Amino acid sequence: MTPALQSRADVFDIVIVGAGVMGATTALFLARGGQKVALIDRQDMFRAASGVNAGTLTLHMTRAQLIPHAIRGREMWLNSTAWLGEDVGALATPGLSMAFTEAEEELLRQRARVRQDMGAPIEVVSPQEAVRIEPGVNPTLRAAAYCALDGHIPAYRVGGAYARALRQAGVTIIENSPVETITHATGGGYDVRVSNRAQPVHGHRIVLSAGAWLEKMLGWLGYNIPIRCLINQLVVTETLPPVMGSVLSIANGLLSLKQFANGSVLIGGGWQGEGNIHQGGTRVIPENLRGNVRLAQYVVPRLDEAQVLRVWLGLESETPDAMPLIGALTPDDDAFVVGCVHSGFTSGPYMGRLLAERILGGNPDLSAFDPTRFSTPTATGPKS
Amino acid sequence: MFSPDFSPVTVIGGGIAGTTSAIALARHGFPVTLIDEQPAAGGQIFRAPSPYARKTVPPNHEFSGGDALRQKLAASPVNVRFSTRVWGLSPALTLDLIGPDGIDQLPPSTVVVANGATERFLPFQGWTTPRITGLAGASILMRDGGTLPGQTVVVAGSGPLLFSVAHQVLELGGKVAAIVDAGHRSDWLRLGAMLSLDPARLTQATSWMLRLRKAGIPIHHRAHISTAQETETGLLLTVSDMDHPERRHVYAAEATACGYGLKPTTLITRTAGVQHRHDPIGGYLEPVTDVAGRTSHPDLYVTGDAAGIRGMAVARLRGLITAHAIAQDRGGISAQTYETLTRAPLRQLRRLEAVSRRMLPLMNAGSAIPAHLQDETIVCRCERVKAVTLRSAIEAGAEDLNQLKAWTRCGMGPCQGRMCEDSARGLLTAACGNTPEEAGSFTARMPFFPLPLTAVTGTFAYSDIPLPKAAPL
Ligand SMILES: Cc1cc2nc3c(=O)[nH]c(=O)nc-3n(C[C@H](O)[C@H](O)[C@H](O)COP(=O)(O)OP(=O)(O)OC[C@H]3O[C@@H](n4cnc5c(N)ncnc54)[C@H](O)[C@@H]3O)c2cc1C
């Protein structure tokens, strides 16, 4: 590198595109590892999935194969002071997944078994035991899967904590700056073009962590990976007297229910809204709102006293095999991706740390997440 | 010529503007649905009075005007959906409703937003104690409910509602302890000089002022309520001069009605993604519209006070002009017919608007109050956030309202910031020097108001829940 270039403010060892939990954690650990890092987002940090998610730290819903990662991620959240510098309000609670029909009971046992095998401390308990653990649940349940390791975190609080930690670690945060293209720079590295800047931001290496927007971005590097965009619905109620203490779900994974310290109840579970990621704009599907809320009220009958305060939709991405994309995109080890992690908020801090470790020269096992498993880049990769 | 497009039009808001517009649209041949949260049309001013109010409140303009409007509506083919509220919408203008039969959705249509104005509240020490209402709320309570907010009332805030409410208190046999106005006396005199342009308002204002003067009610200009204290029988209110805070008066009253003017209701237009601007004179956010209510959204029109506060006479004219404009935009009438139909209303509109605009600074006279709020004053009553909390978040770098909201929860509660947004913005602009545009506004969220959970669920059995297929293992 020439000294002239070196002195330019917009040249970085690593440029990271997308400041959700994946990109921001990667940035944090890379900066602590001595790298000069820029973190770019099209809006303020943590406004997409990482700021609007349900904040369940769950092993019931995480894909079975990701349970070891989810356990580590959950621990990181519960000890956020140690690595993020402040307590973000994560709370450890038990988690109960319930079955109300015969078919659900079968599914419950099957899912519990697979998760046990992957190291989740889940056991199937009787209805009486479930009601003892959580007196507010509908006593007509047939069985419940109990997990000692569950919990939740108010997701909206996390962005501020990351902003402070990243600044302290010396990361250059470039917000409200949509990345429009990424091209190979003459002389190596990448030029990351941002819509509101005349000059590109140059990175010797890049990390793509743009969440639901990854498909398009991977396309710039010649990858053609179809990524499904889920439009997840969440519903929050006005504050209520305590009606539950654990995180509740049902066997098929389509409910997550918890009460925060202030008394509001959050209803989620991945019911879908409508929308178009490219044009923007989402829409609540009334039947899905009704279905999700009915399910919640069935599981905790006392929710009939609640008032629905807000409904919102957030975007989550999923690969064809529903497994993450984490690792190197090029043989030169100069472009990486991290994203499409199921229940990614739970494991996010751990996934980001793993990728940072990998970029810094370590050798964590990321083989199951290899982004080249779907396609090899076409010749129409980035050009200068 | 193109064949006209008579696809459906939905009018949100059955006040003067919306009802006038709906009737005119139906006359042009559109299938029109009129939605309002009230059980009948009329809006804030022409609201249908309760049977009790019809007996107790002396006959007035508002009753007769409202009855005439409701009769016209009943005689029109407009499809009405009363007791129904819009709680959300998509940018394509699908409307989410809640009505007597629970939740429901209307497919995209041309939408006329005529949901009127919202009162601006500014806090003071003790404002969350009971016995304190808004001016608009007090006015509705008295005119349409026939009930006084208290036997003795301090009427405070800014704008013409002050005098209207004070007059209503007297009409119902109550006592006004004082009128406390944030505006300058000279601004009122300047407005008075213009009222010859609007004879109806002139007559009304003159009769109110004579009555108030005869009753010997003290009027404080450039003053505001700085503290309210609850006593056994009511309230002790400290009134401070805005320019000389050491000059104070204390009044005892059973209740106080306090409001700082009106602002357009923008939840719907903001959610639709329509372009807005900050009107520095009104001190509020308004959708950017042309004279006919066209917005940056091709299928969304805004009419009446929702497009900027101009009052009821203008609202009727705007409603009419918007209907004609839609007829023209959809090929129902020619440009020439549009011109013929709107010539007289437009001329009248311009004359009346000149007066209405003069009212805006009077309504916005309290704009300096938030900057001087005492640290311990609660700004956001839903989440109980105090001024000091906001000030320290601003000091820590919160530069716009949404950041302030995320950091302090100010505006996150059931009212969506309706009560605190103006004071939070005032604090923010005063503390960090940002303009109101930079401070922005709270992102609109759905539902626009809390929905009873059981209204969403309806009655159901477990087997009625359309469970999606299981998540991946
Ligand atoms: C409603 C909902 C509920 C959820 N609930 C849970 C839960 O309870 N528990 C759990 O563990 N997980 C949950 N998840 C999943 C979890 O939120 C995600 O897996 C995780 O947050 C993804 O993080 P990310 O960093 O990959 O993506 P994101 O947080 O989406 O971050 C991607 C960032 O990239 C930016 N970006 C995109 N395009 C560009 C561009 N061109 N230029 C610059 N920046 C760009 C975006 O603005 C965004 O900030 C939920 C998800 C949703 C949507």
Side-chain angles (χ1 to χ4, degrees):
Chain A
M1 201 199 323
T2 66
L5 258 184
Q6 208 163 23
S7 66
R8 270 177 45 184
D10 52 0
V11 174
F12 296 88
D13 294 328
I14 301 186
V15 174
I16 300 181
V17 184
V21 67
M22 299 299 168
T25 314
T26 310
L28 184 64
F29 285 102
L30 284 174
R32 289 198 183 142
Q35 301 290 302
K36 188 181 172 202
V37 180
L39 178 62
I40 309 181
D41 204 286
R42 63 210 282 267
Q43 38 187 359
D44 287 333
M45 292 181 25
F46 279 76
R47 282 284 173 91
S50 300
V52 304
N53 69 80
T56 311
L57 304 176
T58 179
L59 305 184
H60 281 304
M61 314 250 278
T62 301
R63 292 219 58 193
Q65 275 169 280
L66 300 180
I67 282 189
H69 303 81
I71 291 176
R72 304 295 295 274
R74 179 181 174 277
E75 276 166 13
M76 284 178 75
W77 283 126
L78 290 168
N79 297 312
S80 63
T81 317
W83 60 277
L84 195 56
E86 55 190 275
D87 179 4
V88 287
L91 198 69
T93 72
L96 274 183
S97 177
M98 280 161 278
F100 291 95
T101 64
E102 203 180 321
E104 282 177 6
E105 186 176 344
E106 199 174 306
L107 187 64
L108 184 89
R109 291 182 186 278
Q110 181 204 2
R111 287 176 76 97
R113 210 172 311 117
V114 184
R115 284 174 165 63
Q116 283 158 358
D117 293 346
M118 290 306 295
I122 292 180
E123 52 173 321
V124 176
V125 300
S126 68
Q128 296 74 17
E129 180 62 8
V131 174
R132 198 193 55 76
I133 296 166
E134 189 52 82
V137 298
N138 189 329
T140 65
L141 81 166
R142 294 173 61 100
Y146 170 83
C147 181
L149 305 184
D150 211 306
H152 50 80
I153 181 171
Y156 75 92
R157 272 180 58 176
V158 169
Y162 265 94
R164 289 181 282 274
L166 288 165
R167 290 211 172 90
Q168 205 167 34
V171 172
T172 302
I173 301 173
I174 307 176
E175 291 176 299
N176 299 304
S177 301
V179 170
E180 293 189 323
T181 59
I182 299 175
T183 52
H184 272 303
T186 28
Y190 295 86
D191 282 336
V192 177
R193 276 178 207 281
V194 177
S195 70
N196 53 9
R197 292 187 163 219
Q199 291 297 317
V201 182
H202 182 87
H204 302 315
R205 299 198 273 182
I206 53 169
V207 174
L208 306 184
S209 48
W213 293 266
L214 269 177
E215 181 178 292
K216 185 165 122 192
M217 220 162 266
L218 286 166
W220 296 338
L221 299 195
Y223 280 88
N224 176 18
I225 305 176
I227 293 176
R228 193 159 85 98
C229 179
L230 305 172
I231 301 176
N232 294 344
Q233 169 182 282
L234 286 177
V235 181
V236 69
T237 71
E238 276 197 51
T239 56
L240 284 175
V243 291
M244 70 187 89
S246 13
V247 173
L248 304 178
S249 59
I250 64 160
N252 70 3
L254 287 149
L255 179 70
S256 81
L257 195 55
K258 68 184 79 73
Q259 187 167 25
F260 287 110
N262 73 349
S264 61
V265 171
L266 189 64
I267 304 171
W271 290 65
Q272 295 293 291
E274 245 172 43
N276 182 315
I277 185 171
H278 303 299
Q279 284 154 15
T282 51
R283 184 182 90 94
V284 171
I285 301 173
E287 305 84 82
N288 288 359
L289 172 62
R290 192 180 290 125
N292 198 177
V293 172
R294 279 182 171 178
L295 185 57
Q297 198 265 328
Y298 189 84
V299 169
V300 177
R302 274 193 55 205
L303 285 179
D304 64 354
E305 294 162 26
Q307 299 272 328
V308 171
L309 183 59
R310 300 276 184 275
V311 181
W312 68 91
L313 299 165
L315 306 180
E316 191 178 9
S317 52
E318 190 178 87
T319 59
D321 60 7
M323 285 291 281
L325 298 174
I326 307 176
L329 291 161
T330 56
D332 304 345
D333 246 17
D334 62 359
F336 301 85
V337 62
V338 56
C340 302
V341 184
H342 222 269
S343 286
F345 197 66
T346 307
S347 55
Y350 186 59
M351 297 301 197
R353 201 172 86 186
L354 282 184
L355 181 64
E357 195 184 317
R358 164 74 181 75
I359 295 172
L360 292 170
N363 195 18
D365 179 14
L366 298 172
S367 53
F369 313 143
D370 183 355
T372 64
R373 69 186 181 277
F374 297 108
S375 81
T376 44
T378 60
T380 62
K383 300 222 173 65
S384 45
Chain B
M1 216 182 124
F2 299 114
S3 64
D5 163 17
F6 284 121
S7 51
V9 182
T10 310
V11 179
I12 305 173
I16 299 173
T19 309
T20 306
S21 211
I23 296 169
L25 282 160
R27 218 173 267 156
H28 279 300
F30 292 93
V32 183
T33 302
L34 176 64
I35 300 172
D36 198 286
E37 59 192 36
Q38 299 294 321
Q44 299 305 338
I45 304 229
F46 281 173
R47 185 185 298 243
S50 66
Y52 178 70
R54 280 206 198 267
K55 273 189 283 174
T56 47
V57 182
N60 56 54
H61 250 10
E62 285 75 24
F63 286 1
S64 54
D67 289 342
L69 190 72
R70 283 183 285 275
Q71 272 161 24
K72 256 172 109 181
L73 178 65
S76 79
V78 171
N79 165 36
V80 295
R81 293 190 64 166
F82 291 131
S83 306
T84 299
R85 298 177 84 181
V86 176
W87 60 261
L89 70 154
S90 71
L93 306 184
T94 309
L95 300 180
D96 294 299
L97 308 177
I98 180 165
D101 303 323
I103 61 169
D104 183 18
Q105 204 168 50
L106 275 190
S109 63
T110 297
V111 168
V112 178
V113 177
N115 58 350
T118 306
E119 188 160 37
R120 177 164 40 209
F121 295 102
L122 297 177
F124 46 85
Q125 190 66 37
W127 74 304
T128 54
T129 48
R131 297 173 183 274
I132 298 178
T133 62
L135 286 174
S139 172
I140 290 167
L141 181 73
M142 289 188 283
R143 188 169 51 232
D144 310 311
T147 308
L148 280 168
Q151 204 51 42
T152 324
V153 186
V154 168
V155 179
S158 56
L161 260 178
L162 281 172
F163 300 100
S164 154
V165 166
H167 177 255
Q168 282 178 278
V169 172
L170 299 184
E171 286 262 301
L172 281 180
K175 190 167 172 282
V176 177
I179 296 175
V180 183
D181 169 32
H184 281 283
R185 206 173 108 83
S186 57
D187 288 334
W188 288 105
L189 295 176
R190 233 170 280 143
L191 173 71
M194 287 193 80
L195 276 182
S196 59
L197 286 172
D198 188 344
R201 265 182 176 152
L202 180 62
T203 321
Q204 198 176 43
T206 316
S207 83
W208 288 351
M209 295 315 288
L210 284 175
R211 178 103 194 245
L212 296 176
R213 177 130 347 129
K214 218 171 99 197
I217 297 167
I219 302 183
H220 301 277
H221 293 289
R222 286 300 287 163
H224 67 116
I225 296 181
S226 52
T227 334
Q229 230 183 318
E230 255 191 301
T231 63
E232 258 170 43
T233 51
L235 295 167
L236 268 189
L237 300 159
T238 307
V239 172
S240 306
D241 188 288
M242 288 170 73
D243 305 311
H244 308 276
E246 70 288 353
R247 289 188 202 157
R248 289 181 181 178
H249 296 263
V250 176
Y251 289 98
E254 257 184 41
T256 181
C258 182
Y260 286 88
L262 303 175
K263 55 181 179 177
T265 307
T266 53
L267 269 177
I268 291 178
T269 48
R270 280 188 285 143
T271 308
V274 162
Q275 199 187 336
H276 287 71
R277 65 172 203 117
H278 184 83
D279 175 4
I281 301 170
Y284 53 59
L285 192 76
E286 66 180 18
V288 177
T289 58
D290 70 359
V291 69
R294 294 183 184 88
T295 67
S296 60
H297 191 302
D299 298 317
L300 189 141
Y301 298 72
V302 187
T303 200
D305 272 1
I309 306 302
R310 301 288 184 272
M312 89 179 191
V314 170
R316 191 185 65 80
L317 295 167
R318 277 175 158 178
L320 202 60
I321 295 165
T322 299
H324 297 327
I326 293 173
Q328 189 201 343
D329 294 348
R330 297 286 179 272
I333 58 173
S334 68
Q336 207 182 350
T337 311
Y338 173 79
E339 235 173 72
T340 315
L341 286 174
T342 55
R343 195 169 299 134
L346 275 173
R347 200 180 323 120
Q348 223 183 334
L349 180 88
R350 297 222 165 85
R351 194 168 35 109
L352 294 177
E353 272 207 313
V355 182
S356 303
R357 280 179 195 282
R358 271 269 179 241
M359 302 250 188
L360 293 179
L362 284 164
M363 289 194 192
N364 192 27
S367 61
I369 291 174
H372 306 293
L373 287 178
Q374 299 167 43
D375 271 348
E376 285 307 301
T377 300
I378 288 174
V379 175
C380 167
R381 56 195 300 174
C382 301
E383 298 285 337
R384 307 201 77 76
V385 184
K386 292 178 176 171
V388 64
T389 310
L390 295 181
R391 290 203 173 102
S392 41
I394 295 163
E395 205 163 296
E399 289 181 342
D400 68 61
L401 278 177
N402 285 308
Q403 225 163 359
L404 202 57
K405 173 171 159 183
W407 292 8
T408 65
R409 297 188 68 85
C410 178
M412 251 185 219
C415 93
Q416 291 243 14
R418 194 168 50 87
M419 307 277 272
C420 64
E421 179 160 6
D422 294 296
S423 31
R425 187 185 292 112
L427 261 173
L428 188 67
T429 51
C432 74
N434 273 353
T435 62
E437 284 86 352
E438 287 163 341
S441 43
F442 293 135
T443 303
R445 298 273 183 221
M446 293 184 264
F448 297 148
F449 47 86
L451 304 174
L453 190 129
T454 47
V456 177
T457 61
T459 40
F460 67 97
Y462 192 61
S463 54
D464 294 337
I465 304 173
L467 285 181
K469 101 180 181 338
L473 207 61

